[in-house]
Structure formats: structure tokens, C-alpha cells
Amino acid sequence: MSLIERYLAAVAAQLNPDQREDVIAELRDDLMSRIEAREAELGRTLTDDETEAVLRELGHPLAVAARYGAGPQHLIGPELYPWWLFAMKVGLAAMALLSVIGLGGRVLGGMDVGQAFAQALGGFIEGGLTLLGLVTVLGFVWERYGGKPGFITNWRVRDLGLFELGRLNADTWGKAMQSGQPKVVYVDATGSRMSPVARALASATAMAVFLLWWVGALRLGGTGVEDIEALVWGVDYTAAVQAVIAALWWPVVVYGVCRIAFDLFRALRPRAVRMAALGDIGLACARAVGAAWVLFVSPLGVQLEASTPGAAFEQVRDVIRNGGWDVEVTVILILGFIILEAAARVLISLGRLATGRDRRLDQL
């Protein structure tokens, strides 16, 4: 087989069958014209090395075949790339926060600080690589098979508060700390709070990272849900915590998916106040029921000796009176706060459902 035929065969192997014959015929004509012109210039037949030089001028078979391929010739195109990069920044920031929380939990549980830090760092790197793969695959599919989402083409200036998060770098924090006025992440450059759309997108991103960790797709702080150990101040809550996780695994998955879907709906339809209120009521009730079950019914609640609201209140009152703060009261207060926050959310959402108005939207 001649060099030209071998080259054309390599190109043909990369082409779709329906275009292969026409493309190869076109390339053969182009190559023969180049070789004939070179031979006329030299006044002799080209050697193999000179023929190979002509083939290299045309390009590698993979690159040449790609010119005739359908679809984009990139993983993430220039239009989606800024969104891909921003998603990575926000996702990594959320992972870093959860990793720090996991690191603190391990240290409080009695683990050596160096070992805990090594596990947290390793988990962050592993999770970051997983996140990189997931976001890239999503962008790859969206680039080729999905239409452009509305938030790329139909954005509004009032919804840009979320993108102030891109300014949260080491230099920004250093200057803020030196000035004694650290920035609050939900305040944009003009001093106004994030719009409801920006908050919805931020909430959806954070919940997506948490849900990926919950189902085992990400490992944050070197820990998955199945690895959680709760040995605090000499008391082992691990069995109770794992029993709670096993019982709540699917409910949390369902809640997380609903939360993400609801936040995306709020981002796309920020003026649908009554629909948003209904969603808030449903999600708040789910949080309240889940927290109440953990506190009063679950194995953890039994170990905390908080099987009734009265028993939980007595524990808190005794600590306030006598001092000696302990982990049981801390957990009771956290779960109680979740229940109270959910109740307040329901009341606020009932008002929005009745009036059809949201003061946060009126301020935009």
C-alpha cells in the first residue's frame, strides 16, 4: 500500500460511512494536485520522505477527518464554558465548606488533627475530581443534545447577585479582613441583597453537592455517609446515627431532588409567588416532620432521652440552670431550631399564598 493510500485509509476509518466515499475522493484529488505541483517544481518524482512531508502539510488523519465531522469539535464550547467554570467554583466552595465541617467533627470525635486533615484533604481532592467529571459530562451532553437554557439568553441584571460569589478569592478576603469589614456572601457589589433568583440558584447548587455526597457520588472530608462515626466526649452515638441515616436515606434523596427542582422552578419563574409558597410549605413540613422524627422517635432520640417535647425541654432547662453544656442538649437545640424554622416558614408562606405578594420581589 502506498503512503497516500495508507493515509487515506486512516482518514476513512474516522469518517461516517455515508460521507466516506465523497470525502476520500475529494482528499485524493487534493493530494494528487499537491504532489504533481511539487514534482513539477522539482522536475522529478517525489521520494517517500517528500511525499510524507506533503501528507503532513495536509494534517493528521484524525484532524482532517474531524473537519468533516458533524457537531462541535470541543467538549465545552465558548458559550457554555463560563457557566461550566462558575459551576465548578460554586461546587468546590460548597465542598470545601462541608469538608471543613467534616474535619471539625472528626477532631471533636477524638481523631488526631493531622490524620483528620489528611482525610479531609484527600476527600476534597477526590470529590473535586468527581465533581469535575460530572459537570464536564453534563456540559458535553448539553453542548450536543440540549437547547440553550433560558438563563443564558434571557438573563436580567436584577438576577446577577449570585455571580458576586466569583469575587470571593484570597485577595478579596485578605483586603476585607485588613479593613475590618469582611464581606457577607449574600451582599453584592452595590450593597443590595441577592435577588430571589440568585438565592434559588445558590440553594440548588448547594443541595446538589449535598445530595451527591449523600448518595455516595462525592466524598467530602474523606467521609461518606456510611463512614460517619459519632464518638463525642466519650459517648458513642455511631450506631444510633447510622440507624437514622439508614431510615432517612430515601426520604432525604426525595427531599433533595424536590428541593433542587423547586429552586430551579423559582429561578425560572420568580414571579410565581403562590406556587413558590406552596412549594415552601411542602418542603418546610417535610423538614419539620423529619427533625421531629429524629428527635422524638428515632434511635438517636431514644439515646438522647428526648422521647417527648417535655423531656427535651427539661434537659435544656436543666443545662441552663446548672451549666455543664453537653452534646445531647446541643443536638436537641439544633433539631428544635429546625422545627421552629420550618414552622415559621409555613406561616410566612401562608401569608404569601393568601396575598400573592412577596416583599423581596417588590424591592427589585
Side-chain angles (χ1 to χ4, degrees):
M1 180 182 294
S2 67
L3 293 177
I4 294 176
E5 293 303 322
R6 180 170 295 173
Y7 178 89
L8 293 175
V11 175
Q14 317 306 320
L15 297 171
N16 293 327
D18 57 349
Q19 64 174 164
R20 186 174 296 158
E21 185 176 345
D22 293 337
V23 171
I24 294 304
E26 178 183 339
L27 288 176
R28 180 178 282 107
D29 290 342
D30 186 16
L31 279 172
M32 296 309 299
S33 297
R34 291 173 181 242
I35 290 174
E36 289 173 1
R38 186 65 57 84
E39 288 179 340
E41 179 182 343
L42 297 175
R44 59 177 173 80
T45 303
L46 298 184
T47 64
D48 286 348
D49 289 342
E50 291 169 337
T51 301
E52 194 163 8
V54 174
L55 296 176
R56 280 198 296 269
E57 290 176 1
L58 188 60
H60 193 280
L62 291 177
V64 173
R67 299 171 195 163
Y68 297 91
Q73 303 296 323
H74 44 251
L75 286 177
I76 308 294
E79 189 170 19
L80 279 181
Y81 174 76
W83 295 88
W84 174 90
L85 183 61
F86 182 76
M88 285 298 303
K89 286 183 178 180
V90 175
L92 290 174
M95 285 179 52
L97 176 61
L98 293 175
S99 295
V100 170
I101 293 174
L103 171 62
R106 285 179 176 273
V107 172
L108 289 176
M111 179 178 288
D112 177 74
V113 175
Q115 182 182 359
F117 178 78
Q119 290 190 5
L121 180 61
F124 177 76
I125 293 174
E126 178 184 351
L129 292 175
T130 303
L131 180 66
L132 173 64
L134 291 174
V135 175
T136 301
V137 168
L138 178 62
F140 174 84
V141 173
W142 214 337
E143 187 75 52
R144 285 154 180 78
Y145 305 110
K148 292 180 182 178
F151 58 77
I152 290 182
T153 55
N154 299 324
W155 56 273
R156 299 179 301 176
V157 173
R158 68 182 64 177
D159 300 332
L160 299 182
L162 174 64
F163 300 96
E164 289 291 318
L165 292 173
R167 301 172 66 239
L168 298 182
N169 51 37
D171 182 60
T172 301
W173 280 107
K175 291 180 179 178
M177 292 302 176
Q178 290 176 6
S179 66
Q181 298 178 340
K183 277 186 173 291
V184 181
V185 296
Y186 58 82
V187 176
D188 64 20
T190 64
S192 60
R193 292 179 179 270
M194 278 187 182
S195 72
V197 173
R199 283 195 297 271
L201 291 175
S203 175
T205 301
M207 179 55 68
V209 172
F210 171 80
L211 197 58
L212 288 172
W213 171 77
W214 182 262
V215 302
L218 293 176
R219 295 179 65 83
L220 302 176
T223 304
V225 289
E226 72 281 359
D227 302 320
I228 291 178
E229 297 178 358
L231 179 62
V232 183
W233 297 333
V235 181
D236 191 356
Y237 298 93
T238 301
V241 169
Q242 286 296 333
V244 170
I245 290 174
L248 292 181
W249 199 89
W250 274 111
V252 169
V253 170
V254 173
Y255 175 87
V257 171
C258 292
R259 176 88 234 185
I260 293 171
F262 172 64
D263 286 332
L264 293 178
F265 170 80
R266 286 195 303 158
L268 293 173
R269 298 283 302 278
R271 299 286 175 179
V273 175
R274 286 193 168 93
M275 289 296 294
L278 286 174
D280 270 328
I281 291 171
L283 292 172
C285 288
R287 290 197 301 276
V289 170
W293 179 85
V294 173
L295 183 56
F296 301 127
V297 180
S298 73
L300 181 60
V302 172
Q303 191 168 354
L304 295 174
E305 298 180 355
S307 56
T308 65
F313 178 77
E314 287 294 330
Q315 286 204 54
V316 175
R317 187 176 64 178
D318 289 344
V319 167
I320 293 175
R321 285 180 175 178
N322 305 323
W325 203 266
D326 55 28
V327 67
E328 288 86 355
V329 172
T330 301
V331 175
I332 290 171
L333 288 176
I334 292 173
L335 293 172
F337 174 80
I338 293 174
I339 295 172
L340 292 176
E341 181 276 334
R345 178 68 61 181
V346 169
L347 293 176
I348 294 172
S349 298
L350 285 173
R352 292 173 183 157
L353 185 63
T355 63
R357 295 187 61 186
D358 186 341
R359 287 188 304 170
R360 296 171 301 180
L361 294 175
D362 295 338
Q363 296 170 359
L364 295 178

